[in-house]
Amino acid sequence: MPSPVRKAVIPAAGLGTRFLPFSKAVPKEMLPVIDRPVIQYIITEAVEAGIEDILIITSRHKKVMEDHFDRHAELEAVLLAKGKAEEAEEIRALGELADIHFVRQGEALGLGHAIGTARNHVGNEPFVVLLGDDVMMEPVLKGMIDSYAEHESSVVALMEVPEQEISSYGCAAAEPVGGSLVKVTDLVEKPAVEVAPSNLAIMGRYLFTPSIFDEIDNTKPGVGGEIQITDAMLSLLTSEPLYGYTFSKGRYDMGMKSDYLRAVVDFGLEREDLAPAFREILVEAVKREGLL
Ligand code: UTP
């Protein structure tokens, strides 16, 4: 029996340079989508996939994330005194979503380096990584954990992107296995369009065996001078199989302003309490702008 996947790592220590000026003082992982910060959607996704223990990789100026998942006894008491029991319970439950821990990455040296800081906490068991700025509406993580139960190998989420966009992503060459699964044969970080081996892009969900930590330790800075997780994965490929879990929709890169707007629209339309009024706002805007 493969060991169960219990732990998740959420790297959230980056500088967020694509979301300035907002991200100067407030982490982009705290951007609100309606009434919850991005990181809350991500933690909820992990918990729904069966994760019990979460390590958030953070940095200075990002303490607000810790506060969000802490108890706030004073606020709970005020809500209860006002007869707002449901709201009080919602606030209290945030502190109990999972066993949440924090570790700091002193310097943003890259995603591979950030994941490496989780080594002591993760220990010798398989774990998942959810990027702190990538929100998924589809149960991709759950599918990846199911794949691990069958193959006992690392898995990465992959999505086809338009050819000219592949140079913004880690790129995978792969062979079909069956269903959503493929077997990864090669990896390259941010390839030029002319040399990209495919248009399959790595999207912010990973499941790793603990061997990835030795590979990270041996990885030198790559593209952009950062320690790239794609390079560590390429090295892992020489000793262990790596699967890809393919999916085609429901992913939002919250580090990108246009994707953030798309998320607000899609999530707003999903909210029963807000959708009727929100639909009217959208229809009015479409008419006013002559969009149809
Ligand atoms: P990104 O490259 O999207 O984030 O990394 P960034 O570097 O903060 O953003 P830009 O490109 O400057 O706008 C994906 C995730 O990995 C984390 C980020 O916080 C983000 O959630 N990350 C990245 C780290 O934790 N440490 C790093 O050194 C780099």
Side-chain angles (χ1 to χ4, degrees):
M1 274 285 281
S3 7
V5 183
R6 299 181 310 115
K7 292 185 178 172
V9 172
I10 303 183
L15 295 173
T17 56
R18 289 169 298 154
F19 224 114
L20 288 167
F22 175 86
S23 48
K24 182 182 174 200
V26 184
K28 64 176 169 178
E29 293 81 6
M30 289 301 288
L31 274 163
V33 180
I34 326 290
D35 50 9
R36 315 170 180 179
V38 163
I39 190 129
Q40 188 178 330
Y41 288 96
I42 293 171
I43 287 186
T44 304
E45 178 195 338
V47 170
E48 283 173 358
I51 297 297
E52 299 158 6
D53 179 295
I54 294 173
L55 179 71
I56 302 180
I57 317 291
T58 176
S59 61
R60 67 181 66 79
H61 307 310
K62 295 208 169 188
K63 210 180 142 287
V64 64
M65 286 195 285
E66 295 180 40
D67 293 343
H68 187 72
F69 295 106
D70 196 1
R71 289 289 297 273
H72 190 335
E74 192 188 342
L75 178 60
E76 285 170 35
V78 168
L79 289 168
L80 283 174
K82 287 185 172 173
K84 297 188 169 182
E86 216 174 292
E87 285 86 343
E89 174 51 25
E90 193 179 1
I91 296 303
R92 194 195 57 77
L94 276 176
E96 290 172 5
L97 268 175
D99 202 356
I100 302 178
H101 310 264
F102 296 86
V103 69
R104 281 195 180 193
Q105 182 192 21
E107 212 181 332
L109 296 177
L111 182 57
H113 180 264
I115 296 171
T117 62
R119 184 172 201 153
N120 282 345
H121 185 89
V122 169
N124 196 28
E125 52 180 291
F127 66 104
V128 291
V129 175
L130 300 91
L131 296 194
D133 59 354
D134 247 25
V135 169
M136 303 257 184
M137 251 189 177
E138 302 289 310
V140 173
L141 191 70
K142 175 83 179 55
M144 291 168 66
I145 293 174
D146 290 346
S147 149
Y148 180 80
E150 196 179 331
H151 299 282
E152 265 185 89
S153 297
S154 297
V155 199
V156 59
L158 298 173
M159 191 170 97
E160 285 190 32
V161 297
E163 214 176 277
Q164 64 281 8
E165 288 176 23
I166 195 69
S167 50
S168 304
Y169 296 92
C171 172
E175 292 162 356
V177 171
S180 303
L181 272 197
V182 294
K183 201 155 182 207
V184 175
T185 53
D186 194 12
L187 290 164
V188 43
E189 181 64 23
K190 299 191 175 68
V193 178
E194 314 78 61
V195 296
S198 78
N199 64 340
L200 273 178
I202 299 178
M203 297 295 170
R205 300 291 179 268
Y206 308 77
L207 189 158
F208 290 124
T209 63
S211 346
I212 194 69
F213 291 119
D214 282 341
E215 306 299 347
I216 292 172
D217 282 352
N218 294 326
T219 300
K220 305 265 175 299
V223 175
E226 296 190 345
I227 296 178
Q228 300 285 355
I229 192 63
T230 311
D231 295 340
M233 286 158 64
L234 181 62
S235 185
L236 185 75
L237 252 188
T238 59
S239 52
E240 289 184 11
L242 171 68
Y243 287 85
Y245 183 89
T246 58
F247 70 107
S248 59
K249 61 180 167 53
R251 178 253 180 187
Y252 304 84
D253 176 0
M254 298 298 189
M256 218 163 80
K257 292 171 187 175
S258 54
D259 243 21
Y260 172 73
L261 289 173
R262 200 163 60 85
V264 171
V265 171
D266 289 354
F267 282 65
L269 289 172
E270 287 281 312
R271 280 279 293 260
E272 273 175 29
D273 55 336
L274 298 169
F278 189 44
R279 264 192 220 108
E280 281 181 28
I281 294 170
L282 291 178
V283 168
E284 211 275 308
V286 167
K287 278 190 195 148
R288 189 182 63 232
E289 300 292 322
L291 296 176
L292 277 180

